């Protein structure tokens, strides 16, 4: 995944734009952002990456290392293939609430088939498999990616 590419509102920054950060658990380096700085992607002293909310101090695990984070972003980019351009990959809170209400009310559209013949269900399975190949802990109980996968499975993302 190239730096500066935006996937689900997330981007990794070039080396020149990285800067130090102080997490509740210790020093880290900001290596990316989510939604233009609403949240930070950080690399901790042990090399692992996390999502850091500067306002609340909350830290959620991403991956065991920066390379895995980049590969996971690339896997999500592949999932959000151009043949799904009519469905937003990033939504506002209002859009997400509306989508969730439709899901709960049973008003969601049937799964689309992509141009290459893979169903949405197949693509979710492929994405899940790819994420665990990249980093065995990527979809662990306390991982940021697990929440993203739940949103994909609920057809919110």
């Amino acid at each position: 995944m190239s730096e500066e590419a935006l996937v689900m509102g997330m981007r990794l920054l070039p080396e020149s734009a990285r800067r130090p950060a102080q997490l509740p658990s210790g020093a880290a380096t900001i290596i990316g952002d989510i939604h233009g700085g609403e949240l930070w992607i950080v690399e901790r002293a042990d090399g692992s990456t996390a999502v850091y909310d500067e306002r609340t101090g909350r830290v959620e695990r991403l991956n065991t290392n920066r390379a895995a984070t980049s590969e996971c972003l690339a896997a999500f980019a592949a999932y959000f293939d151009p043949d799904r351009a009519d469905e937003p990959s990033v939504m506002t809170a209002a859009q997400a609430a509306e989508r969730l209400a439709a899901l709960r009310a049973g008003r969601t559209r049937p799964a689309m088939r992509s141009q290459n013949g893979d169903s949405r269900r197949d693509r979710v399975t492929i994405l899940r498999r790819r994420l665990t190949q990249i980093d065995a802990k990527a979809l662990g109980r306390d991982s940021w990616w697990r929440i993203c996968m739940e949103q994909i499975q609920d057809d919110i993302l």
Side-chain angles (χ1 to χ4, degrees), residues 2-4 20 28 32 43 46 60 83 109 132 138 147 153 156:
S2 68
E3 293 172 346
E4 293 290 336
E43 182 176 35
D46 66 358
E60 294 182 67
D83 66 338
R109 292 185 290 173
T132 54
I147 304 299
Q153 286 180 259
I156 295 170

Side-chain angles (χ1 to χ4, degrees), residues 22-139:
Q22 185 60 44
L23 307 182
S25 59
T29 302
I30 293 174
I31 62 168
D33 62 35
I34 302 174
H35 301 301
E38 184 176 319
L39 302 169
W40 301 107
I41 300 171
V42 297
E43 182 176 35
R44 298 184 272 200
D46 66 358
S48 66
T49 59
V51 173
Y52 173 52
D53 185 336
E54 200 168 29
R55 292 167 293 152
T56 65
R58 185 176 176 147
V59 179
E60 294 182 67
R61 186 174 57 78
L62 270 174
N63 295 103
T64 54
N65 59 56
R66 187 186 316 172
T69 299
S70 181
E71 289 182 50
C72 284
L73 281 170
F76 276 99
Y79 173 80
F80 294 111
D81 199 22
D83 66 338
R84 292 180 49 96
D86 63 324
E87 295 184 36
S89 60
V90 177
M91 292 183 246
T92 66
Q95 290 169 326
E98 182 180 326
R99 185 84 177 249
L100 183 57
L103 176 70
R104 288 180 175 151
R107 298 187 317 259
T108 57
R109 292 185 290 173
M112 294 174 51
R113 297 206 51 95
S114 68
Q115 292 175 356
N116 65 9
D118 293 335
S119 71
R120 183 184 166 285
R121 175 180 282 164
D122 292 341
R123 290 181 21 248
V124 169
T125 300
I126 291 166
L127 175 59
R128 180 178 298 284
R129 185 178 319 123
R130 181 71 184 121
L131 294 175
T132 54
Q133 288 171 344
I134 292 166
D135 185 345
K137 296 180 180 182
L139 297 176

